[in-house]
Amino acid sequence: MIAILPEPVAARLFVPADLAAGARVALDEGQAHYLKHVLRLGPGGRVGLFNGRDGEWRAVIAAQDRRATTLAVEGQSRPQAPEPDLWLLFAPVKRAPIDFVTEKATELGASALIPVLTRRTIASRVNTDRLAAIAREAAEQCERLTVPRIAEPVRLEDLPDLLDDRWLVVCDETGGRPIAEAVRVESPKKAAAILVGPEGGFAPGELDAILKLPFASRVGLGPRVLRADTAALAALAVFQALAGDWHSARPPV
Amino acid sequence: MIAILPEPVAARLFVPADLAAGARVALDEGQAHYLKHVLRLGPGGRVGLFNGRDGEWRAVIAAQDRRATTLAVEGQSRPQAPEPDLWLLFAPVKRAPIDFVTEKATELGASALIPVLTRRTIASRVNTDRLAAIAREAAEQCERLTVPRIAEPVRLEDLPDLLDDRWLVVCDETGGRPIAEAVRVESPKKAAAILVGPEGGFAPGELDAILKLPFASRVGLGPRVLRADTAALAALAVFQALAGDWHSARPPV
């Protein structure tokens, strides 16, 4: 028996448009440039498309001129599947670590990235457009079917309203229940959020109100002092391995 | 009751010398420069010292001139403690990701970092001096009592001899047992090594001999395609959380 495999695609692109067999999708300028001048794909070139709602689709370049590139959508290659509802709340730090956290958290499957302003947070403005572009590119590369939502910054004291009854995992360098134990014992089976403080930690007393919430757990990440970006990625990985979607393997290519 | 806390130290430095009360330790040029010109510490300034063998010690700058900076060792602030025997075997990739993996793996408690040359490995030379400097600085900052060993590159086919009966966790993007399950069920209680392939994965058949070893487990890191650096850090974090030293919190400061 010979399996007929679909032709491989040269790239995966996120598009906002609805995807269905026969649909025509116009690319934005950056994507059009990428296909034509980086991948050197012309009419007939094959790409994969996803929009976060309709799964992944095979498409072919139907028209390409100086002003526009249009794709013709053919068949679906993967159905949309549920993904963990896992937010990363992080105190914005320097530019390189924020970019890095955005890329890695996208690969690790965070559903939303939300900058949180704490007393020791230096930046009060965050270039969320830049982070959204990084998240989109990481999602395209890591074969996700969604792009995480990049939220505008929120103040730490506004978190309780925002979280509703979402399980909050507070990574605190001064200690707490070991994260694997907390995830196993208090494991949510529902929405969760991981909160990581700024370099230098939270200010004294700053976490008191948050930790009194009935759905918040203070967790520790071992005996060493982790940088904020390391802590964010480590916590995401442990959560996904124990309570997220790492029980399943990659779908066969 | 008032606890008498020792004066805080301005920096933690790794030194090769033996450490004991009354010892005099000469700093190398880089560390001397750092204390004098970055931290602006003069005679009487307080630092912490560790050498990977004798725990952490309080020391004071005893002499500082143009040619040498000498520290006088006072009392021990932390005893040496056992650490997980956990190697990271990684295919060297581009410079920025290697530097990054070195810093983060040090924070996450890897005991040795060993570059592995695979068929798809681009670099065949690795600047291990640069990596050792990055590892030392990360160890100083994250309050480790050791600096991970940076090994010279080894060929994939030489791994079996190198590993002896060390448990080998092979992170393979084509799938495998979920990592949390593998660590829990096959949990070593002994030495372990995490192997992460190059960007683009291992070549077909390249892992066959390795995976036939009785002490090797092929593990998966979920449904998304992780970059090599992300996979290395995620696997280290999950291992430490489940079978390493993350059951303990940070020692009280």
Side-chain angles (χ1 to χ4, degrees):
Chain A
M1 203 171 72
I2 295 168
I4 311 262
L5 293 171
E7 277 186 71
V9 297
R12 287 180 84 244
L13 298 177
F14 173 85
V15 291
D18 289 337
L19 296 173
R24 310 277 288 191
V25 174
L27 294 185
D28 72 26
E29 209 176 323
Q31 291 174 324
H33 176 89
Y34 175 71
L35 289 193
K36 187 168 183 179
H37 297 288
V38 180
L39 298 182
R40 301 194 177 280
L41 285 184
R46 311 190 70 80
V47 299
L49 296 179
F50 66 107
N51 62 7
R53 306 181 302 275
D54 299 323
E56 185 177 278
W57 291 74
R58 293 182 294 275
V60 58
I61 299 176
Q64 186 180 45
D65 64 25
R66 203 170 288 180
R67 286 154 316 179
T69 294
T70 304
L71 301 179
V73 180
E74 299 183 336
Q76 192 184 46
S77 46
R78 283 164 65 196
Q80 194 72 29
E83 294 179 353
D85 182 358
L86 175 59
W87 294 358
L88 175 63
L89 307 164
F90 65 100
V93 282
K94 284 172 250 160
R95 177 173 168 158
I98 294 188
D99 290 0
F100 161 80
V101 163
T102 302
E103 177 187 294
K104 300 307 184 202
T106 301
E107 291 176 59
L108 293 171
S111 59
L113 275 69
I114 306 174
V116 175
L117 305 177
T118 72
R119 279 185 229 155
R120 289 182 180 156
T121 304
I122 299 154
S124 64
R125 294 187 58 232
V126 178
N127 186 336
T128 49
D129 286 345
R130 191 183 76 238
L131 300 189
I134 292 169
R136 190 179 85 169
E137 194 179 320
E140 288 171 348
Q141 297 212 355
C142 77
E143 301 187 11
R144 265 179 84 140
L145 291 176
T146 57
V147 176
R149 177 171 64 88
I150 310 289
E152 290 302 318
V154 298
R155 295 181 309 164
L156 187 68
E157 54 264 44
D158 295 333
L159 274 192
D161 284 343
L162 187 71
L163 290 167
D164 200 359
D165 65 346
R166 181 176 290 267
W167 187 46
L168 178 66
V169 183
V170 181
C171 301
D172 183 3
E173 63 173 18
T174 61
R177 194 169 196 173
I179 185 168
E181 190 184 304
V183 172
R184 266 197 301 247
V185 176
E186 306 169 29
S187 181
K189 310 280 179 208
K190 52 163 192 166
I194 289 168
L195 170 63
V196 176
E199 301 289 341
F202 294 98
E206 186 176 33
L207 284 178
D208 290 355
I210 294 278
L211 290 172
K212 278 190 195 122
L213 296 171
F215 48 86
S217 306
R218 190 159 150 264
V219 308
L221 300 172
R224 288 164 296 278
V225 183
L226 305 184
R227 285 173 198 263
D229 54 352
T230 316
L233 304 183
L236 284 171
V238 173
F239 185 95
Q240 291 286 41
L242 292 175
D245 64 3
W246 286 15
H247 54 272
S248 64
R250 279 181 64 202
V253 181
Chain B
M1 202 172 75
I2 296 167
I4 312 262
L5 293 170
E7 278 185 71
V9 298
R12 286 179 84 245
L13 297 176
F14 173 85
V15 292
D18 289 337
L19 295 173
R24 310 277 286 190
V25 174
L27 294 186
D28 72 26
E29 210 175 326
Q31 292 175 322
H33 176 89
Y34 174 69
L35 289 193
K36 188 168 183 180
H37 298 288
V38 179
L39 298 182
R40 301 194 177 281
L41 285 184
R46 311 190 70 80
V47 299
L49 297 178
F50 66 107
N51 62 7
R53 306 182 301 277
D54 299 323
E56 185 178 279
W57 292 75
R58 292 182 296 275
V60 59
I61 299 176
Q64 186 181 44
D65 63 26
R66 203 170 286 179
R67 286 155 316 180
T69 294
T70 305
L71 301 179
V73 180
E74 299 184 335
Q76 193 184 46
S77 47
R78 284 163 65 196
Q80 195 71 29
E83 295 178 353
D85 182 358
L86 175 60
W87 294 357
L88 176 64
L89 307 164
F90 64 100
V93 281
K94 284 173 251 162
R95 176 174 169 158
I98 295 187
D99 291 359
F100 162 78
V101 163
T102 303
E103 176 187 294
K104 300 307 186 203
T106 302
E107 292 176 58
L108 294 172
S111 60
L113 275 69
I114 306 173
V116 176
L117 306 177
T118 72
R119 278 185 230 155
R120 289 181 180 158
T121 303
I122 299 153
S124 65
R125 295 189 58 233
V126 179
N127 186 336
T128 49
D129 286 343
R130 190 183 78 241
L131 299 189
I134 291 169
R136 191 178 84 169
E137 192 178 323
E140 289 171 347
Q141 296 212 356
C142 77
E143 300 187 11
R144 264 179 84 141
L145 292 176
T146 57
V147 175
R149 177 170 65 88
I150 309 289
E152 289 301 318
V154 299
R155 294 181 309 163
L156 188 67
E157 54 265 42
D158 294 334
L159 275 192
D161 285 341
L162 187 71
L163 289 167
D164 201 359
D165 65 347
R166 181 176 291 266
W167 187 47
L168 179 66
V169 183
V170 181
C171 300
D172 183 4
E173 63 173 19
T174 61
R177 194 169 196 173
I179 185 169
E181 190 184 304
V183 173
R184 267 199 301 247
V185 176
E186 306 168 30
S187 181
K189 311 279 178 205
K190 52 163 191 163
I194 289 167
L195 170 63
V196 176
E199 301 289 340
F202 294 98
E206 186 176 33
L207 283 178
D208 290 355
I210 294 278
L211 290 172
K212 279 190 194 122
L213 296 172
F215 48 85
S217 306
R218 191 159 150 265
V219 307
L221 299 171
R224 288 162 296 276
V225 183
L226 305 185
R227 286 172 197 264
D229 54 353
T230 315
L233 304 183
L236 284 171
V238 173
F239 184 95
Q240 292 285 40
L242 291 176
D245 65 2
W246 286 16
H247 54 274
S248 64
R250 278 180 63 203
V253 182

